[in-house]
Amino acid sequence: MLTQVAEGVLVHQSEFCQTNTVVVHGRAGVLLVDPGVREDELACLANDLSDLGQTVVAGFSTHPHWDHLLWHTSLGAAPRYGTARCAAIVRDRLSDAGAKARIAQFMPPDIVEQVPMDLLGLISGLPAGTEQIPWDGPDIRIVEHQAHAPGHAALVIEERGVLIAGDTLSDMLVPLLDFSDSADPIEDYLEALRLIEGASDHVDVVIPGHGSPGAGDQLQARIDQDRAYLQALRDEQVVSDVRVGPSATYDWVAGVHERQLQNLARRRERDGPPG
Ligand SMILES: [Zn+2]
């Protein structure tokens, strides 16, 4: 089911982790951001689009994690993009014969059989520093930063007042830090929030990669909520955040939060107090 969140911008939500696929109407067809997740959901999306008489003219993956790199034959053969950094990571991670089996190990066992892997990660990197998605539709600004994953990008569609936030600014997931590729994941994430905030002057609707789209004062509220979480981690203060509390949408987020605390503690032990 497609839900309109702004003029010419619709969302198709997966049952897996409330993953949002964003459909943006252009002049000759639609752009899809992060199509996912299960095969039947991708086929449903393709059906909905063909009912609307729309063809897919481009795709974009916000970051190099499997749930944002999916595609389905029924969506056609449009070019699929990501940032240069995102595409380089994907190429690297998919470069050997065992890659897909390895990636499948990261998927929850109850959905692994339902995730179509054939077209996983077939994206082209846009040249480093590209500011707009190349397509025939409203201008879509790429705000690249180093939160959550290397080459992560948020997208701003100013004409439509929409921010597509990738895996930041979720109402049910706390900021998930990238420990693989960052010397200071908390500072990198805080910097990303500053960039996103600075690019969002004309935004009325925020669409996170997972969770509910938010309108009105939700954008600022979510920026403040992510920032407060990160500052508490940085300052080693007690985290009070509804997303890891007793009324959290997903109880496993508290476990992810605990692992982040452990990772940070290990890093502090290794690196000593900040100089
Ligand atoms: Zn994700």
Side-chain angles (χ1 to χ4, degrees):
M1 192 186 70
L2 284 165
T3 308
Q4 175 156 331
V5 296
E7 191 198 331
V9 182
L10 302 97
V11 168
H12 196 270
Q13 195 172 71
S14 166
E15 276 178 32
F16 171 73
C17 214
Q18 294 181 32
T19 306
N20 291 315
T21 299
V22 186
V23 176
V24 186
H25 281 263
R27 274 170 284 273
V30 298
L31 168 84
L32 294 185
V33 182
D34 293 350
V37 170
R38 296 185 328 225
E39 176 129 35
D40 62 317
E41 293 170 336
L42 286 155
C44 168
L45 170 63
N47 255 328
D48 290 351
L49 291 173
S50 88
D51 287 350
L52 294 171
Q54 293 289 338
T55 49
V56 179
V57 294
F60 188 88
S61 289
T62 56
H63 62 286
H65 290 164
W66 68 266
D67 50 330
H68 302 263
L69 294 169
L70 297 162
W71 199 260
H72 193 266
T73 42
S74 59
L75 297 171
R80 297 161 58 190
Y81 305 113
T83 64
R85 189 108 192 270
C86 171
I89 296 269
V90 172
R91 214 176 305 122
D92 187 51
R93 289 188 186 154
L94 285 173
S95 59
D96 64 284
K100 285 184 181 169
R102 213 169 41 240
I103 291 165
Q105 290 172 357
F106 290 100
M107 298 177 187
D110 57 319
I111 69 153
V112 68
E113 295 293 323
Q114 301 168 55
V115 178
M117 298 283 274
D118 288 353
L119 303 175
L120 180 85
L122 300 179
I123 60 170
S124 310
L126 295 167
T130 302
E131 289 178 3
Q132 306 269 354
I133 294 183
W135 83 304
D136 187 14
D139 285 353
I140 302 184
R141 182 167 160 204
I142 301 168
V143 183
E144 184 176 350
H145 51 260
Q146 293 308 317
H148 183 62
H152 193 280
L155 302 173
V156 177
I157 318 171
E158 202 150 292
E159 247 180 276
R160 304 282 182 250
V162 168
L163 167 70
I164 300 170
D167 279 5
T168 66
L169 309 184
S170 169
D171 57 334
M172 48 122 219
L173 278 181
V174 292
L176 302 179
L177 300 170
D178 175 22
F179 289 99
S180 70
D181 196 64
S182 170
D184 192 343
I186 296 179
E187 251 338 294
D188 284 350
Y189 212 121
L190 286 166
E191 173 61 19
L193 292 181
R194 284 190 285 273
L195 275 175
I196 292 170
E197 190 171 26
S200 299
D201 280 350
H202 302 285
V203 168
D204 307 307
V205 175
V206 53
I207 309 171
H210 307 278
S212 334
D217 57 8
Q218 270 298 302
L219 172 66
Q220 193 59 49
R222 292 190 190 186
I223 290 173
D224 294 346
Q225 189 180 29
D226 274 3
R227 190 173 276 148
Y229 175 84
L230 294 162
Q231 285 168 345
L233 290 193
R234 181 193 62 194
D235 302 338
E236 298 182 64
Q237 286 164 355
V238 176
V239 168
S240 122
D241 191 304
V242 63
R243 298 170 293 184
V244 295
S247 56
T249 309
Y250 291 114
D251 54 6
W252 52 263
V253 180
V256 175
H257 165 62
E258 281 306 318
R259 281 199 294 285
Q260 298 207 120
L261 292 181
Q262 288 159 11
N263 263 320
L264 288 167
R266 260 199 302 279
R267 279 198 171 208
R268 284 194 183 101
E269 221 162 83
R270 190 190 69 199
D271 301 341

